[in-house]
Amino acid sequence: RHFSKQSDWRNCLKGKTLHLLGDSTIRQWYEHFVKLLNLTDTTLPDAIHQTGPLLATDTIDNITITHRSHGPPLRCGWTRTFHLRYVANVIDEIQGGPDDVIAITIWAHFVSFTVDIYRERMEAIRAVIQRLHQRSPETLVVIKSANTGMGNELVAGDWLAHRLDLVMREIFSGMKVVFVDAWEMTTAQQWHPDALHP
């Protein structure tokens, strides 16, 4: 569905909790929702915006949105490591239900590592999603793919990101998850130059 008004977004998200887990390309979703829905962005003690944890709420429509960065590896200036948690551990603590949405994207910080490291992390996330769906099958899980971005081809180029994207698609194929194909969206658009944060 396409929503053109804030009231449409609010009606869709009324009573929902969105757990946005992963890198800065999903933190953009958090920032977009906070601005679009005029949510109250609560600064948590010792949290750093770049890596979180972040919390935004709306008491009128009972909307809660959180963002948490994935665990290492991370490429950022600095962060408080006691806030870093692996996505699988975070999902294991979410009870789930029809009012919970979990959105995940993990790729940008892994492009300069071997595919085996990425595969191992994704397989752990696959296993935790299976456990989540066993205890709460109505929980919606959204997987956002990698997107194109102009970067150093030896460290963060599109070819490296695309390799990880193919692994991610293989690991989550056949699962009860929704894919947001950011790769195709950013490849197909011709209006703006590629950017890590489209």
Side-chain angles (χ1 to χ4, degrees):
R1 287 184 272 170
H2 176 76
F3 302 124
S4 56
K5 297 183 300 199
Q6 183 191 66
S7 59
D8 295 336
W9 281 97
R10 286 184 161 280
N11 189 45
C12 177
L13 296 174
K14 190 172 195 164
K16 303 284 189 216
T17 299
L18 279 64
H19 308 270
L20 308 178
L21 305 170
D23 59 38
S24 60
T25 65
I26 206 154
R27 187 187 70 227
Q28 286 182 280
W29 289 16
Y30 175 88
E31 293 163 348
H32 180 72
F33 281 127
V34 167
K35 184 176 178 181
L36 176 76
L37 301 173
N38 196 27
L39 301 176
T40 302
D41 193 3
T42 305
T43 302
L44 300 174
D46 297 319
I48 297 171
H49 185 79
Q50 187 176 9
T51 55
L54 305 176
L55 171 67
T57 57
D58 175 82
T59 55
I60 296 168
D61 289 319
N62 192 27
I63 300 169
T64 302
I65 303 178
T66 65
H67 171 264
R68 181 178 285 277
S69 180
H70 59 76
L74 285 175
R75 270 185 271 162
C76 56
W78 71 283
T79 191
R80 293 193 166 92
T81 56
F82 60 85
H83 279 309
L84 295 180
R85 309 226 5 250
Y86 291 107
V87 167
N89 294 343
V90 173
I91 294 172
D92 255 341
E93 294 175 359
I94 297 171
Q95 181 58 41
D99 294 327
D100 278 305
V101 177
I102 299 171
I104 305 164
T105 188
I106 298 176
W107 63 274
H109 298 264
F110 284 83
V111 293
S112 57
F113 290 84
T114 66
V115 172
D116 292 339
I117 292 172
Y118 181 74
R119 179 179 295 280
E120 184 176 307
R121 184 72 58 90
M122 293 296 101
E123 287 172 348
I125 292 170
R126 177 186 170 93
V128 79
I129 291 170
Q130 288 172 326
R131 289 193 299 273
L132 171 69
H133 281 152
Q134 285 175 347
R135 70 180 176 268
S136 183
E138 63 278 2
T139 306
L140 176 63
V141 177
V142 178
I143 307 290
K144 178 195 154 298
S145 73
N147 54 265
T148 58
M150 294 175 61
N152 178 330
E153 287 300 324
L154 296 176
V155 178
D158 286 349
W159 182 81
L160 298 169
H162 186 61
R163 282 187 341 158
L164 299 183
D165 194 58
L166 293 174
V167 169
M168 180 271 301
R169 291 168 192 268
E170 170 198 326
I171 288 172
F172 292 109
S173 69
M175 289 191 69
K176 186 183 154 195
V177 297
V178 174
F179 282 99
V180 174
D181 198 340
W183 189 268
E184 289 297 322
M185 289 183 224
T186 53
T187 299
Q189 71 85 23
Q190 300 299 314
W191 303 281
H192 304 286
D194 284 345
L196 179 60
H197 298 105

